[in-house]
Amino acid sequence: MVVYTLIFMPSGVIMNHDADLTGMEQPLADLAFLARALSDENRLRILLRIGTDRLSVTQIAEDLGLSQPLVSHHLKELKRALLVDVERRGPFIHYGISRPEVLDVLRAIGNLARRLIASRTSF
């Protein structure tokens, strides 16, 4: 069985095709948890929107044309997945990306999706 390991470097993503499977059960469970958090288009839009700015729920909702309850729900799930962190500024709560690598991962997955879709011949 071939396993692909993504290694994120400043110059881009390196794929290691011969990763060892020993002890991979927990990392795979963690990856599945993260993949579920990223499996919603609105969550991806939110992550991209807060990738460079810390914003309130109201600001995110207005910028993306989503309802505040929907944005709050998605932010709760993204926070639970450790992709988003919270900063309190007086009475306001602002959300931002927890780590800059999150955007690198989104770019890598987006590039992979484009390549896969471009090369498909049927469904």
Side-chain angles (χ1 to χ4, degrees), residues 3-40:
V3 173
Y4 296 94
T5 304
L6 297 179
I7 302 170
F8 294 94
M9 305 293 287
S11 60
V13 178
I14 300 170
M15 302 227 14
N16 175 3
H17 300 282
D18 300 315
D20 183 9
L21 291 178
T22 307
M24 286 294 293
E25 291 80 16
Q26 186 57 47
L28 291 176
D30 295 343
L31 179 58
F33 177 74
L34 186 61
R36 280 189 297 276
L38 295 173
S39 67
D40 185 277

Side-chain angles (χ1 to χ4, degrees), residues 6 17 32 38 60 71 81 115 119:
L6 297 179
H17 300 282
L38 295 173
I60 297 166
V71 170
R115 287 194 306 274
S119 68

Side-chain angles (χ1 to χ4, degrees), residues 53-74:
D53 298 317
R54 290 191 165 275
L55 300 172
S56 69
V57 172
T58 302
Q59 291 169 308
I60 297 166
E62 288 175 0
D63 289 353
L64 299 180
L66 301 172
S67 70
Q68 287 185 5
L70 182 63
V71 170
S72 292
H73 166 74
H74 287 309

Side-chain angles (χ1 to χ4, degrees), residues 68-83:
Q68 287 185 5
L70 182 63
V71 170
S72 292
H73 166 74
H74 287 309
L75 286 168
K76 180 184 81 169
E77 293 301 317
L78 292 169
K79 183 179 171 195
R80 189 170 151 250
L82 305 175
L83 295 169

